[in-house]
Amino acid sequence: MSEPLAPQYNPSTIESELYRWWTERGLFAPESQAPGSGEPYVIQMPPPNVTAVLHMGHGLNNTVQDVLIRFERMRGRRALWVPGTDHAGIATQNVVERELAQEGFTRFDLGRDAFVERVWAHVRETGAAILDQLKAIGSSADWSRTYFTLDEGLSRAVRETFVRLHEEGLVYRGHYIINWCPRCLTALSNEEVEKEEVEGHLWHLRYPLADGSGHITVATTRPETMLGDTAVAVHPDDERYHGLIGGEIRLPLVDRLIPIVADEAVDPAFGSGAVKVTPAHDPADFDIGRRHSLASIDVMTPEARISLAAPDRFQGLDRYEARRRVVAEFQSAGLLDRVEAHRHAVGHCYRCNTVIEPRLSDQWFVRMEPLAKPALEAYRNGTLRFVPERRGDDYSSWLEGIRDWCISRQLWWGHRIPVWYCDATGCGRVSVSRQDLSACPGCGGPVRQDEDVLDTWFSSWLVPFSSLGWPNRTPDLDTYYPGHTMVSAPEILFFWVARMIMSGLHFMGEVPYTDIYLHGTVRDTQHRKMSKSLGNGIDPLEVVERYGADALRYSLISGMSVGTDVILDPQDLESSFAPARNFANKLWNAGRFILSNLESATRPLAGPHAAAVRRAELTLADRWIIARCDATVVEATQAYERFRLNEAAAAVYRFIWSDLADWYIELVKPRLYGDQPGGDVARAVVVQTFDVALRLLHPVMPFITEALWRRFPGRAETASISVAPWPRQDQRAQDPDALRDFGLVQELIGAIRGIRAEYGVQPGQVVRAVVSGSDGSTAALKQERATIVRLAKLSAVTFAPNQERIGGHAVLSNRTAVFIPLGEAIDIGRECSRLGTEAERLLRLVESQEKKLGNEQFVSRAPAEVVDREREKLTTWKEQAGVLLKKRELLGCS
RNA sequence: GGGCGAAUAGCUCAGCUGGUUCAGAGCGCCUGCCUUACACGCAGGAUGUCGGGGGUUCGAAUCCCUCUUCGCCCACCA
């Protein structure tokens, strides 16, 4: 590592080499970090779906986790980040089905076993690519603990959970209306249905009374379901229909007699106040049907075509064709009362966006209320903390209204349901078992396993303990359960996060983590979510290749504040990622420069904060940068602790660029060259503060910080910044005087530069400056005289009262005046107006300030220190304005 | 239909407990510089009715109400 460093930082080779080095050293395993000492700190990675390679959302999610895990690791915790991938039942099955479709096949052509084998092939490929991507962005997860949700161990946990919940009466099989996707041909949970507002219609249909005495009008958004109607319902108190309750309707098209029933669920104010009842195709109707012992007629096939239960001419029609046909027939029979435009929410499959069909079927459910209660309590008693806080409301209101969870899926890819049905006549036993069964435990007869698989979330809700070996009681489980922070996208709060809390409390007796950080979504500049179908995605790997992983990470972190989305422009990667790349380059060059000036060091450079030098040897600038560094330690540490990662990143950025590079390094250059007086002190201070900056930045930019940090003298070959101790605040570093005094130096240099620019003084030309002020106000400036001369490009600076006329004038915030004689270069008129404008600005401030202080209410009601502060401001502004006006007089301005 | 959030420079956003970061940062723009760490850089500069209206207060970008516009979550009125 001693080859000369290139002036332009090139992340690609450095990153891959360092990553290999980290993993070879096993730095990401908690065992090799702080053996036995630090408290564990555990993050469970939301396992990416093996459907496809990762997108920017994953980039953000995993960067946040990595920042937190690296932060806590450096703070001495035994940090464990558990990685994994999710088999993603329905999603992965769909992806492979689409692949097959391209080849002209369906999964049924292949058969179950061959299809599942095919999915495995996809999984092996994608799963490996995903892990590579996670590594490419620098994720410091413990890969030795990587799991896949269909692994043997996690499958055992799934089975144990199912059986145990069944034993407890919390898993049951039921015949209910569920959400059915006619494309995926499976049941879905309520959470898997996305409601979307659509402009639909409300058809008002006339149902003739059986006795021919008239009709009842019912309104529906899905006319085709009338083929399965088995009643018409009205509210029991609805006067309009009193005489009709108990009567019958002759159902058009089907010619079936169905009763008119009274049910409280009917809203008399909606539509006609009468509702058609289709128990097989609507959850509300199903309930009405139960209350009135109505038949359920299933008029749809799984594919949402009209079934054999309907009249011949409708059979086989797609649901929408059937809808048109039904409406047309009502119309021609004169039974279509009217059609209204109607805006309503329609459920769509969250995986293929097909409109959901409520369907009556046998499915397995988890009884959720008993699980939800403790999960709700954990929030109410403050055990769980949400960031941002308001997400806690979403969590609790979801739990309060929770409904049972349909967990069976009519898919082939997933954990097979551990239930066996006995086929022996007269037995029919249903066995729920931890072990595979080959015979009925009751009669010894032949059994067949339930064909269905479990909801993919039924395995992922166990991850916080199943990934650690549960149901076995393993050392990992003892040590790393419960974990600490969950970093998740808000979309999966209910699917995953809330359910993990329920399972954790139920099976482990403790919440799986206490802090839940829900970050935003990555969107394009039109605020659209990045997606493959919109083509507005950004490939994280492309960004890593072009800008480096550190730049990717920094951009994501700095673009994100608590509770807001990250906006990136897919059309213009440069504007999104160049600033971070530039920052990396800046850091690289600062490091390069510092390193190149350490050879002449004669004193040790390492050690606790500025311990290598004595206080008395420090210049004002040294004291200033040490104080700024310390303030940055505090600011960044607090920001990381509060999940304000963008603020932490910004604080370090400011320190490195605006303080260290722009000022301190510039200023200290003469001391560093050769064997200058104070050279060792400067070297010690610059190394010290740069080292702190690298450590503070490491969680966000792990690669470049490591690359630089390792090159500093005195580092052991095996030392890594990733386990270097986190910088601590140092009371001795605090130095308000230095902050104030050096601020004045900066202000003076800025004022002189401003005058130079104003009058177009050539950069190469040196000028003289005269500074006048009281001894007290110029003491600090005198200390840094050489700095002022160099950075303001002066021939000399003198401290004396000034009566010269022709030049540029300025006045600092402590009333010190500056004068630059410019001879012919100056345009007196221009200087007059420049001074005039500035004086006017100050006088306006003075005026409003006088008004404020003249206000009795303010003086008497505002706190004394505020009033004092405002008085001081007034004095300063007044005097500043006075100095400028005097200069104008001197110049003979009109 | 219920709940929540956001609106600040051309763009992306900070501004946390009302008053010393109070109108800011980065990008973009303008001017001048290849000053031997860095042109992915340096120095300087311009840019705002803090979404509209009302209120509370000595004092509001900040707190309250209201309107407008965007976004998110929830919802079995067919």
Side-chain angles (χ1 to χ4, degrees), chain A residues 68 71-72 75 630-645 647-649 651 696 726-727 729:
Chain A
L68 296 176
F71 172 58
E72 295 295 351
R75 296 224 286 179
D630 193 62
T632 307
V633 169
V634 174
E635 200 181 344
T637 305
Q638 284 177 355
Y640 280 122
E641 282 171 343
R642 298 169 65 203
F643 300 106
R644 295 179 174 254
L645 307 186
E647 291 178 24
L696 294 178
W726 191 252
Q729 186 183 10

Side-chain angles (χ1 to χ4, degrees), chain A residues 105 132 173 179 254 271 374 412 422 430 464 544 579 623 741 777 831 862:
Chain A
F105 296 103
D132 284 346
R173 187 171 166 80
N179 303 293
V254 184
W412 288 350
C422 177
V430 176
V544 168
R623 286 163 49 210
D741 291 347
S777 65
E831 179 67 5

Side-chain angles (χ1 to χ4, degrees), chain A residues 233-243 245 261-268 273 292:
Chain A
V234 297
H235 192 89
D237 302 336
D238 194 333
E239 310 260 314
R240 293 171 293 182
Y241 300 111
H242 249 152
I245 294 167
V261 301
D263 196 284
E264 306 254 339
V266 180
D267 177 3
H292 302 275

Side-chain angles (χ1 to χ4, degrees), chain A residues 370-383:
Chain A
L371 298 174
K373 263 181 101 172
L376 200 50
E377 178 53 24
Y379 173 64
R380 292 188 173 146
N381 70 19
T383 305

Side-chain angles (χ1 to χ4, degrees), chain A residues 161-171 458 461 506-507:
Chain A
T161 304
F162 187 95
V163 174
R164 229 190 258 189
L165 288 175
H166 183 261
E167 287 165 355
E168 292 165 349
L170 296 178
V171 152
F458 195 85
W461 79 324
H506 189 74
F507 293 105

Side-chain angles (χ1 to χ4, degrees), chain A residues 25-39 41 69 72-74 76-81 140 142 480 722-723:
Chain A
R25 295 217 37 221
L27 285 169
F28 305 153
E31 290 77 14
S32 65
Q33 291 160 13
S37 61
E39 282 295 303
Y41 175 76
I69 206 87
E72 295 295 351
R73 185 181 293 130
M74 290 175 77
R77 304 275 291 268
R78 268 186 294 162
L80 171 61
W81 184 15
S140 64
D142 182 358
Y480 300 114
S722 66
V723 287

